[in-house]
Amino acid sequence: MQVETPEVGAKKATTPRYDTIVIRGALGKTVPREFDGGEVVSWSRGHDLAAMDALESFVTAVADGELDDLEEIQTGAGRALELMRRRNAIGWDADTRQETKQ
C-alpha cells in the first residue's frame, strides 16, 4: 500500500511502501536481504503477528480502563499469555480450536 501518492510531477511516492510476504515450508532460516529489487527491512517468524495481537488487545483493554481491578488484570494477563502461546503454535486457527473445546 502506498501511503501518500506522488506529488504532481514527482516520480516516486513521498512515503515508503511496505509489503508483507508470508512463506510456508521454507527449509532454511536465512532471511534474504533483498526481494524483487527491494530491501528486506523487517520480518516475523512463525505466527508472531497473530500472537502479538492477543497482547495488544489486552494492553488496549487495560489502557481503556476496561480492566481496573488487580484480579481482573491478572486474569486478563493470564488469558492473553495463553492465547499468545496457542496462536504462536498454530496461528489464528487457535481461536477456532479453543471455541470448539468449550
Side-chain angles (χ1 to χ4, degrees):
M1 171 175 71
Q2 186 169 297
V3 180
E4 290 183 31
T5 56
E7 296 296 323
V8 176
K11 293 184 180 182
K12 290 188 171 186
T14 55
T15 304
R17 173 183 164 162
Y18 294 95
D19 297 312
T20 302
I21 299 170
V22 178
I23 301 168
R24 182 160 127 172
L27 301 176
K29 294 185 178 187
T30 304
V31 177
R33 298 293 179 203
E34 291 184 12
F35 182 82
D36 196 25
E39 177 186 15
V40 175
V41 295
S42 178
W43 59 89
S44 179
R45 69 175 174 82
H47 299 292
D48 282 347
L49 296 175
M52 291 308 294
D53 182 68
L55 177 61
E56 183 180 354
S57 296
F58 168 70
V59 171
T60 299
V62 173
D64 289 346
E66 295 173 27
L67 305 173
D68 54 6
D69 176 70
L70 179 58
E71 192 172 320
E72 282 182 321
I73 292 171
Q74 289 172 325
T75 301
R79 286 185 186 143
L81 283 172
E82 181 184 329
L83 180 56
M84 288 176 69
R85 289 176 182 139
R86 284 197 323 270
R87 284 183 178 173
N88 200 346
I90 60 177
W92 295 105
D93 194 36
D95 300 6
T96 305
R97 290 184 187 187
Q98 185 64 19
E99 288 172 8
T100 58
K101 278 178 145 181
Q102 297 174 355

